[in-house]
Amino acid sequence: MKKTRLDGKKKLVSLSAELEEGIRAYCRDKGLESESELIRQAIAKFIYADYQDETLKLQGLNDLSKKITELRDMIDLTFKYLRLMHINLLAYQPEIAGEFADTAFTSANARHEKFFTVFRESLKNDPPFFERLLHTYFSGDPHGPD
């Protein structure tokens, strides 16, 4: 069955002698049985290349968006931590004599644990953010749950 154009005429393509020889040589080298098959493959590759390029660009943009979201989350977490740490440092900064150093160290650890508990609780007030962080931490997947 011969294909025809929309107006009913056959599709004809003129090729130079050099191009025809190149086609025959390529078909022999690649084991293609028909020159028509090579031409169909070449046309399809040419036409669909633009679509594949666009798909790759969109995938790249999606990956970039996920990375930006991850960076935003990290920055948000850092600022929340720094804010609470700053409040903690401003609230309690005593002068320490040498004989009270061990007691001060124990006290500092206990205060830090209290502070960190409050910090963790503040994260629980933002469940989607907290879930993304937990997923990233436990799965090693930097993109979070899909």
Side-chain angles (χ1 to χ4, degrees):
M1 177 174 163
K2 301 242 179 191
K3 298 219 178 194
T4 57
R5 299 184 332 189
L6 293 177
D7 61 3
K9 296 181 181 178
K10 290 184 179 180
K11 296 176 188 172
L12 299 174
V13 177
S14 298
L15 302 174
S16 67
E18 183 179 317
L19 187 55
E20 284 184 16
E21 179 55 37
I23 290 171
R24 282 192 292 276
Y26 186 86
C27 288
R28 276 193 311 271
D29 291 346
K30 299 298 181 180
L32 293 175
E33 295 179 18
S34 139
E35 294 173 7
S36 295
E37 180 59 27
L38 170 64
I39 292 169
R40 282 191 293 274
Q41 288 177 12
I43 291 171
K45 188 173 183 178
F46 182 80
I47 291 172
Y48 296 119
D50 288 340
Y51 296 118
Q52 291 171 347
D53 288 346
E54 289 301 315
T55 300
L56 291 175
K57 287 177 189 176
L58 290 175
Q59 287 173 347
L61 288 175
N62 285 338
D63 289 344
L64 185 60
S65 176
K66 287 179 182 180
K67 288 177 182 177
I68 289 171
T69 299
E70 180 184 348
L71 285 172
R72 189 194 76 229
D73 291 346
M74 288 178 182
I75 290 169
D76 191 35
L77 177 68
T78 301
F79 279 116
K80 285 179 180 179
Y81 182 83
L82 288 174
R83 179 183 164 274
L84 288 174
M85 182 59 82
H86 186 251
I87 291 168
N88 187 53
L89 289 173
L90 290 176
Y92 188 72
Q93 245 183 351
E95 293 289 329
I96 301 171
E99 64 269 6
F100 298 112
D102 289 337
T103 305
F105 180 74
T106 303
S107 172
N109 280 333
R111 285 183 289 115
H112 178 72
E113 286 302 317
K114 285 180 189 176
F115 159 77
F116 203 68
T117 300
V118 170
F119 178 65
R120 280 192 304 246
E121 289 299 318
S122 75
L123 290 177
K124 289 179 185 175
N125 293 331
D126 189 358
F129 175 71
F130 190 61
E131 289 169 10
R132 280 194 313 273
L133 288 175
L134 287 176
H135 176 80
T136 299
Y137 179 78
F138 287 109
S139 72
D141 176 13
H143 301 298
D146 291 330

